[in-house]
Structures are given as C-alpha cells and as structure tokens.
Amino acid sequence: MKFGTSGLRGLSADLEGPATALYATAFARHLLTAGIARPGDEVLIGRDFRASSPAIAAIAIAALGRAGLCPRDCGTLPTPALALLGLARKAACLMVTGSHIPADRNGIKFYRPDGEIDKADEAAITAAAAALRSEGADLPATPEAADDLHDAAMALYTARNHTLLPERALAGLRVGVYQHSTVARDLLVSVLAHYGADVVALGRSERFIPVDTEAVSAETIALLEGWAGQHGLAAIVSADGDGDRPLVADETGTPLRGDLVGLIASRFLGATVIATPVTSNSGIEAAVSGRVLRTRVGSPFVIAAMNEAVAAGETAVAGFEANGGTLTATPFAVNGRTLAALPTRDSLMPVLAVLALAAAEDRPLSAIAAGFALPAAASDRLENMPVETSAALMAELRSGAGPLAAFLAPIGVPAKVSDLDGLRVTLEDGSVIHFRPSGNAPEMRCYVEAKSETAAADLLAAGLERVRAWATSR
C-alpha cells in the first residue's frame, strides 16, 4: 500500500482484507493520539461504485469501531459530498475510492474533521501502520454495518449546488451527462435540470469504467463526439469515479482541458489567489487578475499553498488541479449568497461555472475555450509502467545535462529545466515537455505545451515514444 497524490492506493484484492483493517486502525490511532478526535467521535465512511468498494468500506467500519470511534455509513456518494458533511459535523472521514484508476485497484482517502489530511498526516498514518504490524496487533478483516447518513450527506451537497446560479440559468442549453459509473451521475442530471437545462443522460454503466479527466482516452472521446452530433448537444459533462474531478466537452464532443475548467471556475468565484500545480497551463498567470501559486502535483500541495495564503491574510483563495477539480479555502460571495469553503476537489461547481459562462455569452463552448488563447497543451500516460522503471528513468534524466540532452535529442534542445515535480523542460523553440511518474499508479505521465494543437499532439507522441523506447531497451 502506498500514498500517492491523493490517498492510499493498492490492488483491490489486497484492500479487501487485512490491509484495510490495518490502515483504518492506523488512521484512528493517529486521530486519537494527535488529539484530532476523541474516543466515541463520529467518523464518516463513503465509497464509489467499484465492485470491491462495499467490502472494503465494511471492513473499515469494523476496524474504526474497534479502535474507539463511531462509524457512520454514507454509502455511495461523491467525495466532496462526504467531505462537506464531515466539515458540517466536525467529523473525520474515510472515502473508499480508486478515483480514475482501473477497477483491479482501489484506494482510501482520509479526512480530518477540518478537511483533507496533509503529508504530515500521511507520514503519521504510515508510521502507525508500521507500529501496528510490529506489535502483531490482531486486526481481523471482518465486515460490519453502521448507521446510515447517506441522505443527509446528499441533501447538504445538493443544497450547496442549488445556490450557485440564478434560477433557470441554464435554460436553453441541451447538455449531455455521461453517467458511466461515477457516483455523481444522478446528481449531475438533477442539478442541471434544476437550472433549466435540457438534460440527456448517456452511457450509464453498472460495470465500473475508469474515466481519467486529465487524460481522456480515445475511446471516451469517440463516445463524446458521437453523442454530441447525435443529440445536438451544447456540451457533455461528467466526472471521475468518485465525483471530484470534472469532465466538460464542447459542442463537438472535444473535452476542455481540466486546467481551463479550473480557470473558469476561479473566475466564476472571483478568486484573487489561485493555487495550481506546475502541470497546469503556463498561460494561466496571464489569464487571471489575481496571484497564481504554483505547487507540486496533488491536492495536499494545493491545499498547503492555499492555507499559507489564508494565513497571510488573503480572503478570496481558491485552487484547482490540472484535472479540473476545484477547491476553496475561504468563503466566496456567489449568486448573492455565501458559499462556504470546501478545501477538497469538487466537480459540480466547476461544471456549473463553465455551463453558466456558455449560457451567459450564448456562444459555443469551443469558441469560449479558444477565446482564452492559452498555449496549446496535451497530456497522456503510459500505463502499466513499473514504478521501478519510472524511477530509473527519472534518475537518469536528473543525473546531468548530458543524459537529458541525449534523451531529448530526437525531440529538441533543452533551454530550461524545472525539477519541482517530475522534470519540466522548456525547449529552445519555446515548447514544453514534462515527464512525471504517477504518484498513485504504475504510470508515466507526459504533459506538453506548443504553439498549435498539431504541434502539441506531435510533441506528446514523441515524448511518450521516447519513454517507451527507453523502457523497452532496459
């Protein structure tokens, strides 16, 4: 088991056993010994639609109860809905989800009563798990049930999303909702209908489908393009497995980049300080009037940057990741109401922000996206690349200017290198190529920017081919 950019990840077969009991107990031990929770305090448990998630959640419920906390079962729901109820009830949370990764893997996200755990918490939970192992603690992987708070969580989250826009703000928009297996699928339909959109539900699946909003697959794009033409849609929206990363496609079925979705959401909020990872588009600084804080990849780093801004006295602080998931660290005045802070990734608010912009401007989403004039960008990943292979490649590229130049010789000449998270290389022609091993899956990710969409696609293909060739030659 390993913490990545967002939560603990591992094989589903492993998590459906002692591993979940171990880490749920370690989480409880950390909360209690650090004074974050007291014996008998509530802890909320949610899950996604993966086949393994109910069993993992039931094991976690049993372990948390044995550890002295009072579990409450919130069922299948979006991660931001679980986190919102946790903030309201001042309760820690545990979300069983592998987000966008394949169904043979799963994961657990942990929340303190005040929001997502940070890297220090991750280290403490890992240390507690190691201590429990060394103690030979008896941690049976037995399932248990708990009192149900699903309706309360969904009611609170729905009410939040019903206040974001004026009444009938989306009237006249015909919007598809790609439902697949996201826990946000029914809520997306109902919330868009609440604002007057003509909603077409598409692609519902009882089999888990991993949808990565940061690297949308060719198969998914083909579906979106077909539906857009077939149904005459102004947009198609969706989310990842646990509903904390948005997917928005334009009237042709072409997905908007997540960082553009996050940028639109930040403008919608009126944020004056925006935290976003180094992998987000380099044109964001010029596209906003506020200050942009660049971070490493992962919500803990975005949250840390937002918290530093709040501590410095900033009052309108938001953040987003390159996948479009948008976070708020302070309250915002939206639609004449106060929107409370929700310092975890949210998919519903950015989806509504983009659709509201399209409705207000009465222009195609493709034209709106082009109007931001951001550098052309693309990203993708090599799946099933062993973590050890990715680490060896990164070590070689970091070993000096010579190995990096040799690796990139078929592509271009390095002019500037950033080592903030992975290796982000600006080439002599001004284009950018960024290699970064995934923090929670056996994958190597590649991000590029170039002067045109065609040049970006070519650069991305060349970068992935260099990685593939290097790995094959080992």
Side-chain angles (χ1 to χ4, degrees), residues 28-290:
R29 177 176 285 194
H30 169 54
L31 293 174
L32 294 168
T33 58
I36 299 170
R38 296 173 297 180
D41 279 359
E42 280 188 333
V43 57
L44 312 181
I45 297 91
R47 62 184 184 272
D48 65 15
F49 280 127
R50 290 165 194 269
S52 61
S53 292
I56 295 169
I59 293 169
I61 285 171
L64 292 165
R66 285 194 303 269
L69 298 174
C70 183
R72 297 284 188 261
D73 187 0
C74 293
T76 51
L77 79 174
T79 295
L82 180 72
L84 185 66
L85 186 66
L87 290 169
R89 296 175 75 102
K90 297 181 172 56
C93 304
L94 184 154
M95 179 71 182
V96 178
T97 179
S99 187
H100 60 280
I101 61 178
D104 65 336
R105 303 182 182 98
N106 211 326
I108 301 175
K109 295 179 180 180
F110 300 97
Y111 287 77
R112 300 184 310 235
D114 61 347
E116 280 192 45
I117 63 170
D118 58 23
K119 289 299 178 181
D121 294 312
E122 288 180 4
I125 294 167
T126 301
L132 287 164
R133 283 196 203 95
S134 67
E135 294 166 9
D138 181 21
L139 301 172
T142 53
E144 284 188 16
D147 291 345
D148 190 339
L149 286 180
H150 174 267
D151 290 349
M154 291 303 294
L156 186 65
Y157 188 55
T158 301
R160 176 185 179 88
N161 286 289
H162 280 181
T163 66
L164 293 175
L165 305 179
E167 186 177 353
R168 306 283 299 169
L170 303 182
L173 280 187
R174 186 169 173 82
V175 182
V177 173
Y178 178 27
Q179 293 194 302
H180 62 94
S181 50
T182 174
V183 289
R185 59 191 182 186
D186 294 323
L187 188 64
L188 279 166
V189 170
S190 65
V191 168
L192 297 185
H194 169 79
Y195 288 117
D198 177 11
V199 183
V200 181
L202 303 162
R204 190 181 184 94
S205 174
E206 299 311 312
R207 175 181 60 86
F208 186 81
I209 299 175
V211 173
D212 186 348
T213 67
E214 192 174 354
V216 184
S217 69
E219 294 80 6
T220 298
I221 292 174
L223 287 173
L224 300 175
E225 290 174 344
W227 287 328
Q230 178 184 353
H231 298 285
L233 302 173
I236 302 175
V237 301
S238 188
D240 66 336
D242 67 318
D244 69 349
R245 305 179 183 203
L247 173 62
V248 182
D250 66 19
E251 74 283 357
T252 71
T254 302
L256 273 60
R257 284 188 53 84
D259 44 17
L260 174 58
V261 174
L263 171 59
I264 293 171
S266 298
R267 284 185 164 190
F268 169 79
L269 292 169
T272 57
V273 176
I274 302 166
T276 194
V278 65
T279 50
S280 291
N281 196 288
S282 62
I284 288 169
E285 278 81 353
V288 298
S289 56

